[in-house]
Amino acid sequence: MNSSRRGALKAGLLGVAACSVPHAFASPATARQDTTASPSGTTPQPWGKGIEGQRKGDLGNGYFLNPIMAGDYPDPTILKDGPDYYMTFSAFENYPALIIWHSQDLVNWTPLGPALEKPIGSVFAVDLVKHGNRYYIYIPILPTATGPDADHRPKIYVVHADTITGPWSDPIDLQIPGLIDPGHIVGEDGKRYLFLSGVSRVRLSDDGLSTDGPVSLAYEGWQYPDEWITEAFSLESPKLLRRGEYFYLITAEGGTSGPATGHMVNAARSRSVLGPWENCPHNPIVRTQSDSERWWSRGHASLVEGPAKDWWMVYHGYENGFRGLGRQTLLDPIEWTTDGWFRAKGGDLSKPIAKPAKGKSNAHGIAKSDNFAMAAFGTRWNFYNPGHGEQARARFENNALLLQGKGLTPTDASPLAVLTGDHHYEVTVQMELIGEAIGGLLLFFNKQLYLGMGHDGSRMTTYRSGRPSYWPEPAPAGRIWHLRIVNDRHIVTFFYSLDGVKWTRHALRSEVSGYNVNVADDLASLRPALFATGAGSVRFSNFQYRALA
């Protein structure tokens, strides 16, 4: 859902490129190292490096450096289940959706698989909970249907499973139109409730699969000073927990994109889930104070108890200078104060923080390279805005992905994309054109904004700003192509080769820092993607991802 529509919805619920001559290319040059202060403040400390050199938070010395999930992992919802932690994120138009991630130390996360396979609309700001012995995900869905009679109001669905790895049920419509951002809580009366944008509240049935009463206004928010620079009021993302004699309600205000200083984390409490709610005298708990900080638009928080019974806050933020990576997941230590409130201890999150004590580290992330020996939908690859049965377009045979063409341009091709959280990386793939197909490699933000290369066997098409460019790249004819894209901190260079040995640099370079939410008005990220259009198919093989220094 685009940011202005999302903000307006919530408010409404509350009453040149440099040209050069092509040349042969052997290997990309090395570049700068991302660094920050070490725990001692004396020597530079890089981010940790994981699979394929991917950026990760764990520094390997007892400290971590945010983000804990690098890349487009917005609206985190976290569940503690004994020694295990599970987390999932907004998926929007990317399916399979709602990948469940697992950790035992809050820093290193391993994907388990998706909870939502079949596309039903744009998925955002969910709540993952466990009640009794069953797992639930409460899911706001914005319909993507078009036409004069289409209902564009969001709806709340729920899926459930007996184990965290599923199988998950089909989505159940809770018949709550026009509201988003669910937060589940069990009240002092033993009844289950959903809090929603606004902030509204509705009681649930005991099985959590239907409502049991009307939707009513629950809380009107904390009013920040009018002179603060924010996107919009946007009272959203109610997350709740019960601790001691109080229920705590954590909300976001200020809008999730727009100015860097907009988004914030606020708190309120009550002795009853029905209120009245007392605003924290220390609000906002978290807010970006200046656009000179590393993390912008910090908000949408949940509290979670750590392995050593200490407490942490998980939320998202945009990285200064890298909004195109989307909203990344941040981990902030908190402490409970003598007056029964809590405060954040991580400051602006620009420096390493001691890892949660007593946690057990597991492998972090997943390889993005793929030899296509088997399907990896929902963990590595996601279709953008797919139709029903979209996965049937893809067949895996002889270590290759055979992708059937769809549409005429990448705009309507439902590209197959992989997330990235790195500042500097390269992706390479081999493709073979079959029949009357056009295939290619992109950096894809959404159907209006992308760039890359495509080839139909006779000529190459260059894409920029979401449409074919006038640039007539003199690539030869050919049915088998090797394509490479290098993104070096927003400077994007294309390369192509007929044999995978001698590479030609595309004569056009692009600067892509503008491929972000405040330009595209969409809560998305720029990610590598494969596409196939036309009447034929494209056989992709040997997709390689490499994070560079």
Side-chain angles (χ1 to χ4, degrees):
M1 185 174 189
N2 68 53
S3 58
S4 64
R5 288 175 65 197
R6 194 169 192 251
L9 170 65
K10 291 172 182 174
L13 293 172
L14 285 177
V16 179
C19 300
S20 60
V21 177
H23 65 274
F25 174 78
S27 62
T30 58
R32 302 175 299 277
Q33 178 93 328
D34 290 314
T35 61
T36 189
S38 69
S40 65
T42 58
T43 57
Q45 173 65 63
W47 273 285
K49 296 296 182 182
I51 302 168
E52 303 163 333
Q54 296 173 39
R55 188 167 58 136
K56 71 174 185 176
D58 195 334
L59 302 179
N61 60 358
Y63 287 78
F64 73 95
L65 179 61
N66 278 294
I68 56 169
M69 295 291 288
D72 195 18
Y73 295 97
D75 304 319
T77 173
I78 190 167
L79 167 66
K80 176 177 169 59
D81 187 15
D84 299 300
Y85 297 88
Y86 302 105
M87 193 158 56
T88 191
F89 311 91
S90 290
F92 301 105
E93 288 83 23
N94 302 292
Y95 280 87
L98 299 181
I99 303 168
I100 308 295
W101 292 76
H102 171 248
S103 176
Q104 290 193 321
D105 67 356
L106 293 175
V107 173
N108 295 284
W109 294 87
T110 304
L112 301 179
L116 190 60
E117 294 274 359
K118 299 176 182 178
I120 56 173
S122 182
V123 178
F124 53 96
V126 306
D127 199 28
L128 170 64
V129 301
K130 186 179 183 182
H131 184 76
N133 294 318
R134 181 170 290 184
Y135 300 89
Y136 300 80
I137 307 177
Y138 290 92
I139 311 170
I141 297 291
L142 182 69
T144 55
T146 59
D149 298 324
D151 185 354
H152 297 289
R153 294 178 301 171
K155 299 178 181 180
I156 307 293
Y157 290 78
V158 61
V159 296
H160 58 89
D162 292 331
T163 64
I164 194 68
T165 55
W168 290 85
S169 72
D170 289 336
I172 299 168
D173 187 351
L174 293 180
Q175 303 296 321
I176 309 173
L179 294 168
I180 57 175
D181 288 14
H184 177 274
I185 190 68
V186 177
E188 72 276 13
D189 56 2
K191 296 295 184 179
R192 303 172 66 176
Y193 294 85
L194 277 189
F195 281 62
L196 302 147
S197 57
V199 168
S200 298
R201 179 187 60 237
V202 64
R203 190 171 64 209
L204 295 174
S205 61
D206 291 342
D207 64 6
L209 303 181
S210 61
T211 59
D212 183 23
V215 176
S216 60
L217 182 66
Y219 169 69
E220 295 184 337
W222 174 76
Q223 186 57 59
Y224 54 81
D226 187 60
E227 63 268 20
W228 285 11
I229 305 300
T230 67
E231 181 186 26
F233 181 61
S234 291
L235 178 58
E236 60 183 338
S237 68
K239 299 296 181 188
L240 299 100
L241 76 151
R242 189 176 190 181
R243 185 177 187 269
E245 60 181 315
Y246 287 107
F247 291 91
Y248 291 86
L249 171 61
I250 299 95
T251 57
E253 293 175 5
T256 193
S257 56
T261 55
H263 220 24
M264 66 191 79
V265 177
N266 297 318
R269 70 184 182 188
S270 173
R271 287 184 169 87
S272 170
V273 74
L274 301 179
W277 295 93
E278 170 195 7
N279 285 317
C280 177
H282 315 302
N283 281 337
I285 307 298
V286 167
R287 177 176 179 245
T288 302
Q289 301 293 318
S290 165
D291 61 10
S292 65
E293 295 180 23
R294 170 168 289 165
W295 293 103
W296 292 0
S297 302
R298 294 189 284 158
H300 199 104
S302 296
L303 269 59
V304 65
E305 187 181 55
K309 308 297 183 182
D310 51 355
W311 283 82
W312 299 80
M313 188 160 43
V314 178
Y315 52 85
H316 65 217
Y318 284 106
E319 189 172 359
N320 188 343
F322 291 92
R323 266 188 164 144
L325 290 177
R327 293 168 295 167
Q328 305 181 56
T329 303
L330 311 173
L331 181 65
D332 196 342
I334 67 167
E335 65 177 2
W336 293 94
T337 56
T338 55
D339 58 0
W341 295 102
F342 61 93
R343 72 177 187 93
K345 299 193 298 179
D348 65 2
L349 303 188
S350 64
K351 296 180 180 180
I353 298 170
K355 288 178 58 180
K358 298 184 179 181
K360 295 181 180 179
S361 296
N362 50 287
H364 178 78
I366 186 173
K368 303 180 190 302
S369 299
D370 200 342
N371 63 3
F372 300 115
M374 62 183 67
F377 297 128
T379 51
R380 181 178 295 116
W381 297 101
N382 302 90
F383 286 103
Y384 173 82
N385 194 22
H388 289 284
E390 196 79 28
Q391 292 187 36
R393 289 177 54 215
R395 295 206 321 267
F396 294 84
E397 54 183 32
N398 300 322
N399 288 339
L401 164 64
L402 189 65
L403 187 61
Q404 181 181 346
K406 177 184 179 182
L408 299 177
T409 72
T411 294
D412 48 12
S414 295
L416 194 57
V418 61
L419 275 173
T420 179
D422 296 304
H423 296 167
H424 185 193
Y425 60 87
E426 70 173 24
V427 289
T428 305
V429 72
Q430 178 180 335
M431 72 173 187
E432 179 183 0
L433 304 172
I434 302 171
E436 300 299 317
I438 301 173
L441 179 64
L442 305 170
L443 294 183
F444 187 86
F445 190 89
N446 64 15
K447 63 183 179 180
Q448 286 88 28
L449 193 60
Y450 52 85
L451 71 161
M453 298 168 287
H455 210 288
D456 64 1
S458 298
R459 66 183 182 90
M460 176 171 285
T461 300
T462 302
Y463 299 97
R464 289 212 302 179
S465 300
R467 60 184 183 270
S469 169
Y470 62 86
W471 187 267
E473 179 64 22
R479 306 293 292 179
I480 297 177
W481 283 95
H482 301 259
L483 304 175
R484 174 178 289 150
I485 294 179
V486 178
N487 184 350
D488 184 358
R489 297 166 178 83
H490 308 310
I491 305 302
V492 172
T493 310
F494 305 150
F495 303 88
Y496 53 91
S497 172
L498 287 169
D499 58 9
V501 177
K502 183 179 179 181
W503 290 84
T504 299
R505 193 190 76 203
H506 193 293
L508 193 64
R509 285 196 179 101
S510 299
E511 203 282 343
V512 297
S513 60
Y515 286 57
N516 69 60
V517 59
N518 284 340
V519 173
D521 199 25
D522 195 358
L523 297 169
S525 68
L526 192 62
R527 57 189 73 185
L530 310 174
F531 80 92
T533 64
S537 299
V538 181
R539 179 179 287 114
F540 292 101
S541 59
N542 194 27
F543 178 82
Q544 294 292 318
Y545 178 95
R546 184 162 65 111
L548 304 172

Short mmCIF file of all heavy atoms in Angstrom, two decimals, residues 310-359:
data_model
loop_
_atom_site.label_atom_id
_atom_site.label_comp_id
_atom_site.label_asym_id
_atom_site.label_seq_id
_atom_site.Cartn_x
_atom_site.Cartn_y
_atom_site.Cartn_z
N ASP A 310 15.88 -9.95 30.43
CA ASP A 310 15.91 -8.52 30.18
C ASP A 310 14.93 -8.20 29.05
O ASP A 310 14.33 -9.11 28.47
CB ASP A 310 17.33 -8.06 29.84
CG ASP A 310 17.97 -8.88 28.73
OD1 ASP A 310 17.36 -9.88 28.28
OD2 ASP A 310 19.10 -8.54 28.31
N TRP A 311 14.78 -6.92 28.72
CA TRP A 311 13.74 -6.55 27.76
C TRP A 311 14.33 -5.78 26.59
O TRP A 311 15.31 -5.05 26.72
CB TRP A 311 12.65 -5.73 28.45
CG TRP A 311 11.74 -6.60 29.26
CD1 TRP A 311 11.96 -7.07 30.52
CD2 TRP A 311 10.47 -7.12 28.86
NE1 TRP A 311 10.91 -7.85 30.93
CE2 TRP A 311 9.99 -7.90 29.93
CE3 TRP A 311 9.70 -7.00 27.70
CZ2 TRP A 311 8.75 -8.55 29.88
CZ3 TRP A 311 8.46 -7.66 27.65
CH2 TRP A 311 8.01 -8.42 28.72
N TRP A 312 13.68 -5.98 25.44
CA TRP A 312 14.14 -5.40 24.19
C TRP A 312 12.95 -4.89 23.41
O TRP A 312 11.81 -5.34 23.61
CB TRP A 312 14.89 -6.46 23.36
CG TRP A 312 16.10 -6.97 24.06
CD1 TRP A 312 16.15 -7.91 25.06
CD2 TRP A 312 17.45 -6.55 23.85
NE1 TRP A 312 17.44 -8.10 25.47
CE2 TRP A 312 18.26 -7.29 24.74
CE3 TRP A 312 18.06 -5.64 22.99
CZ2 TRP A 312 19.64 -7.13 24.80
CZ3 TRP A 312 19.43 -5.48 23.03
CH2 TRP A 312 20.20 -6.22 23.94
N MET A 313 13.24 -3.98 22.50
CA MET A 313 12.22 -3.43 21.62
C MET A 313 12.65 -3.66 20.18
O MET A 313 13.80 -3.41 19.82
CB MET A 313 12.05 -1.93 21.90
CG MET A 313 10.89 -1.28 21.20
SD MET A 313 10.37 0.30 22.00
CE MET A 313 11.93 1.09 22.34
N VAL A 314 11.74 -4.17 19.37
CA VAL A 314 11.99 -4.43 17.96
C VAL A 314 11.13 -3.47 17.15
O VAL A 314 9.92 -3.36 17.39
CB VAL A 314 11.65 -5.89 17.58
CG1 VAL A 314 11.86 -6.14 16.10
CG2 VAL A 314 12.49 -6.87 18.41
N TYR A 315 11.75 -2.75 16.22
CA TYR A 315 10.99 -1.84 15.36
C TYR A 315 11.74 -1.66 14.06
O TYR A 315 12.78 -2.29 13.82
CB TYR A 315 10.73 -0.50 16.06
CG TYR A 315 11.92 0.21 16.64
CD1 TYR A 315 12.72 1.05 15.87
CD2 TYR A 315 12.25 0.07 18.00
CE1 TYR A 315 13.80 1.73 16.42
CE2 TYR A 315 13.33 0.74 18.55
CZ TYR A 315 14.10 1.57 17.76
OH TYR A 315 15.17 2.24 18.29
N HIS A 316 11.23 -0.79 13.18
CA HIS A 316 11.88 -0.60 11.88
C HIS A 316 12.34 0.85 11.71
O HIS A 316 11.95 1.74 12.45
CB HIS A 316 10.96 -1.01 10.72
CG HIS A 316 9.73 -0.17 10.57
ND1 HIS A 316 8.52 -0.70 10.18
CD2 HIS A 316 9.49 1.16 10.75
CE1 HIS A 316 7.61 0.27 10.12
NE2 HIS A 316 8.18 1.40 10.46
N GLY A 317 13.20 1.05 10.71
CA GLY A 317 13.65 2.39 10.36
C GLY A 317 14.31 2.39 8.99
O GLY A 317 14.75 1.34 8.50
N TYR A 318 14.37 3.56 8.38
CA TYR A 318 15.10 3.74 7.13
C TYR A 318 16.55 4.10 7.44
O TYR A 318 16.82 4.90 8.35
CB TYR A 318 14.49 4.85 6.29
CG TYR A 318 13.22 4.48 5.58
CD1 TYR A 318 11.99 4.95 6.01
CD2 TYR A 318 13.25 3.66 4.45
CE1 TYR A 318 10.81 4.63 5.35
CE2 TYR A 318 12.07 3.33 3.78
CZ TYR A 318 10.87 3.82 4.24
OH TYR A 318 9.70 3.49 3.58
N GLU A 319 17.47 3.54 6.68
CA GLU A 319 18.88 3.84 6.86
C GLU A 319 19.24 5.12 6.11
O GLU A 319 18.94 5.25 4.92
CB GLU A 319 19.73 2.67 6.34
CG GLU A 319 21.19 2.78 6.68
CD GLU A 319 21.95 1.51 6.30
OE1 GLU A 319 21.32 0.55 5.80
OE2 GLU A 319 23.18 1.50 6.51
N ASN A 320 19.85 6.04 6.81
CA ASN A 320 20.25 7.33 6.24
C ASN A 320 21.07 7.10 4.98
O ASN A 320 22.11 6.44 5.01
CB ASN A 320 21.07 8.11 7.28
CG ASN A 320 21.36 9.53 6.84
OD1 ASN A 320 21.26 9.88 5.67
ND2 ASN A 320 21.74 10.37 7.80
N GLY A 321 20.58 7.64 3.86
CA GLY A 321 21.27 7.49 2.59
C GLY A 321 20.90 6.25 1.81
O GLY A 321 21.32 6.08 0.66
N PHE A 322 20.10 5.34 2.41
CA PHE A 322 19.77 4.08 1.75
C PHE A 322 18.28 3.75 1.92
O PHE A 322 17.91 2.62 2.25
CB PHE A 322 20.64 2.94 2.30
CG PHE A 322 22.08 3.07 1.90
CD1 PHE A 322 22.98 3.73 2.72
CD2 PHE A 322 22.52 2.57 0.69
CE1 PHE A 322 24.30 3.88 2.36
CE2 PHE A 322 23.85 2.71 0.31
CZ PHE A 322 24.74 3.38 1.14
N ARG A 323 17.43 4.74 1.65
CA ARG A 323 16.00 4.48 1.74
C ARG A 323 15.55 3.42 0.74
O ARG A 323 14.54 2.75 0.95
CB ARG A 323 15.23 5.78 1.50
CG ARG A 323 14.89 6.52 2.79
CD ARG A 323 13.97 7.68 2.51
NE ARG A 323 13.35 8.15 3.74
CZ ARG A 323 13.09 9.42 4.00
NH1 ARG A 323 13.39 10.34 3.12
NH2 ARG A 323 12.50 9.77 5.13
N GLY A 324 16.30 3.27 -0.36
CA GLY A 324 15.94 2.27 -1.35
C GLY A 324 16.01 0.85 -0.85
O GLY A 324 15.47 -0.06 -1.49
N LEU A 325 16.66 0.61 0.30
CA LEU A 325 16.69 -0.73 0.89
C LEU A 325 15.41 -1.04 1.67
O LEU A 325 15.22 -2.17 2.12
CB LEU A 325 17.89 -0.88 1.82
CG LEU A 325 19.27 -0.92 1.16
CD1 LEU A 325 20.37 -0.99 2.21
CD2 LEU A 325 19.38 -2.10 0.19
N GLY A 326 14.53 -0.04 1.81
CA GLY A 326 13.31 -0.26 2.55
C GLY A 326 13.51 -0.06 4.04
O GLY A 326 14.57 0.34 4.51
N ARG A 327 12.48 -0.38 4.79
CA ARG A 327 12.52 -0.24 6.25
C ARG A 327 13.14 -1.50 6.85
O ARG A 327 12.64 -2.60 6.66
CB ARG A 327 11.12 0.01 6.79
CG ARG A 327 10.54 1.36 6.38
CD ARG A 327 9.07 1.48 6.67
NE ARG A 327 8.31 0.54 5.87
CZ ARG A 327 7.04 0.23 6.09
NH1 ARG A 327 6.39 0.79 7.09
NH2 ARG A 327 6.41 -0.62 5.31
N GLN A 328 14.22 -1.31 7.59
CA GLN A 328 15.00 -2.41 8.11
C GLN A 328 14.68 -2.63 9.59
O GLN A 328 14.26 -1.72 10.29
CB GLN A 328 16.48 -2.13 7.89
CG GLN A 328 16.79 -1.85 6.41
CD GLN A 328 18.26 -1.59 6.16
OE1 GLN A 328 19.12 -2.41 6.49
NE2 GLN A 328 18.57 -0.45 5.56
N THR A 329 14.91 -3.85 10.07
CA THR A 329 14.52 -4.21 11.43
C THR A 329 15.64 -3.90 12.42
O THR A 329 16.79 -4.31 12.22
CB THR A 329 14.15 -5.69 11.52
OG1 THR A 329 13.10 -5.95 10.58
CG2 THR A 329 13.65 -6.03 12.91
N LEU A 330 15.28 -3.20 13.49
CA LEU A 330 16.22 -2.72 14.49
C LEU A 330 15.89 -3.32 15.85
O LEU A 330 14.72 -3.58 16.16
CB LEU A 330 16.16 -1.19 14.57
CG LEU A 330 16.24 -0.43 13.23
CD1 LEU A 330 15.98 1.05 13.43
CD2 LEU A 330 17.58 -0.67 12.56
N LEU A 331 16.93 -3.51 16.66
CA LEU A 331 16.78 -4.07 18.00
C LEU A 331 17.36 -3.08 19.00
O LEU A 331 18.52 -2.67 18.88
CB LEU A 331 17.51 -5.42 18.09
CG LEU A 331 17.44 -6.16 19.43
CD1 LEU A 331 16.00 -6.58 19.74
CD2 LEU A 331 18.35 -7.39 19.41
N ASP A 332 16.57 -2.71 20.00
CA ASP A 332 16.92 -1.65 20.94
C ASP A 332 16.71 -2.17 22.36
O ASP A 332 15.60 -2.60 22.71
CB ASP A 332 16.01 -0.44 20.68
CG ASP A 332 16.50 0.85 21.30
OD1 ASP A 332 17.34 0.80 22.22
OD2 ASP A 332 16.03 1.92 20.87
N PRO A 333 17.74 -2.16 23.23
CA PRO A 333 17.53 -2.59 24.62
C PRO A 333 16.70 -1.56 25.38
O PRO A 333 16.80 -0.35 25.14
CB PRO A 333 18.96 -2.66 25.18
CG PRO A 333 19.74 -1.69 24.35
CD PRO A 333 19.13 -1.73 22.97
N ILE A 334 15.86 -2.04 26.28
CA ILE A 334 15.08 -1.13 27.12
C ILE A 334 15.27 -1.51 28.58
O ILE A 334 15.76 -2.60 28.92
CB ILE A 334 13.57 -1.17 26.77
CG1 ILE A 334 12.97 -2.54 27.13
CG2 ILE A 334 13.33 -0.84 25.31
CD1 ILE A 334 11.45 -2.54 27.10
N GLU A 335 14.89 -0.58 29.45
CA GLU A 335 14.88 -0.87 30.88
C GLU A 335 13.58 -0.36 31.47
O GLU A 335 13.02 0.65 31.02
CB GLU A 335 16.07 -0.23 31.59
CG GLU A 335 16.08 1.29 31.59
CD GLU A 335 17.26 1.85 32.38
OE1 GLU A 335 18.07 1.05 32.87
OE2 GLU A 335 17.36 3.09 32.48
N TRP A 336 13.08 -1.10 32.46
CA TRP A 336 11.88 -0.68 33.17
C TRP A 336 12.29 0.26 34.29
O TRP A 336 13.23 0.00 35.03
CB TRP A 336 11.13 -1.90 33.71
CG TRP A 336 10.56 -2.75 32.62
CD1 TRP A 336 11.14 -3.83 32.04
CD2 TRP A 336 9.31 -2.55 31.96
NE1 TRP A 336 10.33 -4.34 31.06
CE2 TRP A 336 9.19 -3.57 30.98
CE3 TRP A 336 8.29 -1.61 32.08
CZ2 TRP A 336 8.09 -3.68 30.14
CZ3 TRP A 336 7.18 -1.73 31.25
CH2 TRP A 336 7.08 -2.74 30.30
N THR A 337 11.58 1.36 34.42
CA THR A 337 11.93 2.39 35.38
C THR A 337 11.11 2.24 36.67
O THR A 337 10.12 1.48 36.70
CB THR A 337 11.69 3.79 34.79
OG1 THR A 337 10.33 3.90 34.35
CG2 THR A 337 12.62 4.01 33.59
N THR A 338 11.52 2.93 37.72
CA THR A 338 10.86 2.77 39.01
C THR A 338 9.42 3.23 39.01
O THR A 338 8.63 2.80 39.87
CB THR A 338 11.63 3.55 40.09
OG1 THR A 338 11.75 4.93 39.69
CG2 THR A 338 13.04 2.97 40.27
N ASP A 339 9.06 4.08 38.04
CA ASP A 339 7.67 4.53 37.97
C ASP A 339 6.79 3.62 37.12
O ASP A 339 5.65 3.96 36.79
CB ASP A 339 7.59 5.97 37.47
CG ASP A 339 8.23 6.18 36.09
OD1 ASP A 339 8.74 5.19 35.53
OD2 ASP A 339 8.24 7.32 35.61
N GLY A 340 7.34 2.46 36.73
CA GLY A 340 6.54 1.49 36.00
C GLY A 340 6.46 1.71 34.52
O GLY A 340 5.67 1.04 33.83
N TRP A 341 7.28 2.61 33.98
CA TRP A 341 7.36 2.80 32.54
C TRP A 341 8.65 2.18 32.03
O TRP A 341 9.37 1.53 32.79
CB TRP A 341 7.29 4.30 32.20
CG TRP A 341 5.99 4.94 32.54
CD1 TRP A 341 5.70 5.72 33.62
CD2 TRP A 341 4.76 4.82 31.81
NE1 TRP A 341 4.40 6.13 33.62
CE2 TRP A 341 3.79 5.58 32.51
CE3 TRP A 341 4.38 4.17 30.64
CZ2 TRP A 341 2.47 5.71 32.07
CZ3 TRP A 341 3.08 4.29 30.19
CH2 TRP A 341 2.14 5.05 30.91
N PHE A 342 8.93 2.37 30.77
CA PHE A 342 10.18 1.83 30.21
C PHE A 342 10.82 2.89 29.34
O PHE A 342 10.15 3.81 28.85
CB PHE A 342 9.92 0.55 29.40
CG PHE A 342 9.00 0.71 28.23
CD1 PHE A 342 9.50 0.99 26.96
CD2 PHE A 342 7.62 0.59 28.38
CE1 PHE A 342 8.65 1.14 25.87
CE2 PHE A 342 6.76 0.74 27.29
CZ PHE A 342 7.28 1.02 26.04
N ARG A 343 12.13 2.77 29.17
CA ARG A 343 12.85 3.70 28.31
C ARG A 343 13.81 2.93 27.44
O ARG A 343 14.29 1.85 27.80
CB ARG A 343 13.59 4.76 29.13
CG ARG A 343 14.82 4.26 29.87
CD ARG A 343 15.53 5.40 30.60
NE ARG A 343 16.79 4.97 31.18
CZ ARG A 343 17.97 5.05 30.56
NH1 ARG A 343 18.03 5.55 29.33
NH2 ARG A 343 19.08 4.64 31.15
N ALA A 344 14.12 3.48 26.26
CA ALA A 344 15.07 2.86 25.34
C ALA A 344 16.48 3.25 25.73
O ALA A 344 16.75 4.40 26.11
CB ALA A 344 14.77 3.32 23.91
N LYS A 345 17.42 2.30 25.64
CA LYS A 345 18.80 2.54 26.06
C LYS A 345 19.78 2.61 24.90
O LYS A 345 20.95 2.91 25.09
CB LYS A 345 19.26 1.44 27.01
CG LYS A 345 18.44 1.33 28.29
CD LYS A 345 19.12 0.45 29.32
CE LYS A 345 19.31 -0.98 28.85
NZ LYS A 345 19.99 -1.82 29.86
N GLY A 346 19.32 2.33 23.67
CA GLY A 346 20.24 2.21 22.54
C GLY A 346 20.61 3.50 21.86
O GLY A 346 21.38 3.48 20.89
N GLY A 347 20.06 4.63 22.31
CA GLY A 347 20.37 5.90 21.68
C GLY A 347 19.92 5.93 20.23
O GLY A 347 18.82 5.50 19.90
N ASP A 348 20.80 6.44 19.35
CA ASP A 348 20.43 6.51 17.93
C ASP A 348 20.78 5.23 17.17
O ASP A 348 20.63 5.17 15.95
CB ASP A 348 21.06 7.72 17.27
CG ASP A 348 22.59 7.65 17.22
OD1 ASP A 348 23.17 6.64 17.66
OD2 ASP A 348 23.20 8.63 16.74
N LEU A 349 21.23 4.20 17.87
CA LEU A 349 21.53 2.87 17.31
C LEU A 349 22.67 2.92 16.28
O LEU A 349 22.77 2.02 15.44
CB LEU A 349 20.29 2.23 16.67
CG LEU A 349 19.07 2.07 17.57
CD1 LEU A 349 18.00 1.24 16.86
CD2 LEU A 349 19.40 1.43 18.90
N SER A 350 23.54 3.90 16.37
CA SER A 350 24.65 4.00 15.42
C SER A 350 25.88 3.23 15.88
O SER A 350 26.82 3.05 15.10
CB SER A 350 25.02 5.46 15.19
OG SER A 350 25.52 6.05 16.38
N LYS A 351 25.90 2.76 17.14
CA LYS A 351 27.06 2.08 17.68
C LYS A 351 26.71 0.65 18.07
O LYS A 351 25.55 0.32 18.31
CB LYS A 351 27.60 2.84 18.89
CG LYS A 351 28.11 4.24 18.56
CD LYS A 351 28.63 4.95 19.80
CE LYS A 351 29.13 6.34 19.45
NZ LYS A 351 29.64 7.06 20.65
N PRO A 352 27.72 -0.22 18.16
CA PRO A 352 27.47 -1.60 18.58
C PRO A 352 26.86 -1.66 19.98
O PRO A 352 27.13 -0.81 20.83
CB PRO A 352 28.86 -2.24 18.54
CG PRO A 352 29.61 -1.45 17.53
CD PRO A 352 29.13 -0.04 17.71
N ILE A 353 26.06 -2.68 20.19
CA ILE A 353 25.35 -2.93 21.44
C ILE A 353 25.65 -4.36 21.87
O ILE A 353 25.75 -5.26 21.03
CB ILE A 353 23.83 -2.73 21.24
CG1 ILE A 353 23.52 -1.28 20.85
CG2 ILE A 353 23.06 -3.12 22.49
CD1 ILE A 353 22.09 -1.07 20.39
N ALA A 354 25.82 -4.58 23.16
CA ALA A 354 26.05 -5.93 23.66
C ALA A 354 24.87 -6.82 23.30
O ALA A 354 23.70 -6.44 23.48
CB ALA A 354 26.25 -5.90 25.17
N LYS A 355 25.16 -8.01 22.80
CA LYS A 355 24.10 -8.95 22.42
C LYS A 355 23.30 -9.38 23.64
O LYS A 355 23.80 -9.36 24.77
CB LYS A 355 24.71 -10.18 21.75
CG LYS A 355 25.26 -9.96 20.36
CD LYS A 355 25.88 -11.23 19.79
CE LYS A 355 24.89 -12.38 19.74
NZ LYS A 355 25.50 -13.61 19.19
N PRO A 356 22.05 -9.77 23.44
CA PRO A 356 21.27 -10.31 24.55
C PRO A 356 21.99 -11.48 25.22
O PRO A 356 22.50 -12.38 24.54
CB PRO A 356 19.98 -10.77 23.87
CG PRO A 356 19.85 -9.89 22.67
CD PRO A 356 21.26 -9.68 22.20
N ALA A 357 22.07 -11.45 26.54
CA ALA A 357 22.76 -12.50 27.28
C ALA A 357 21.98 -13.81 27.23
O ALA A 357 20.75 -13.82 27.08
CB ALA A 357 22.95 -12.05 28.73
N LYS A 358 22.72 -14.91 27.31
CA LYS A 358 22.19 -16.27 27.42
C LYS A 358 21.48 -16.76 26.16
O LYS A 358 20.83 -17.80 26.18
CB LYS A 358 21.24 -16.39 28.62
CG LYS A 358 21.93 -16.12 29.95
CD LYS A 358 20.98 -16.36 31.12
CE LYS A 358 21.70 -16.11 32.45
NZ LYS A 358 20.79 -16.35 33.60
N GLY A 359 21.60 -16.02 25.08
CA GLY A 359 21.01 -16.48 23.83
C GLY A 359 21.91 -17.45 23.10
O GLY A 359 23.13 -17.45 23.27
#
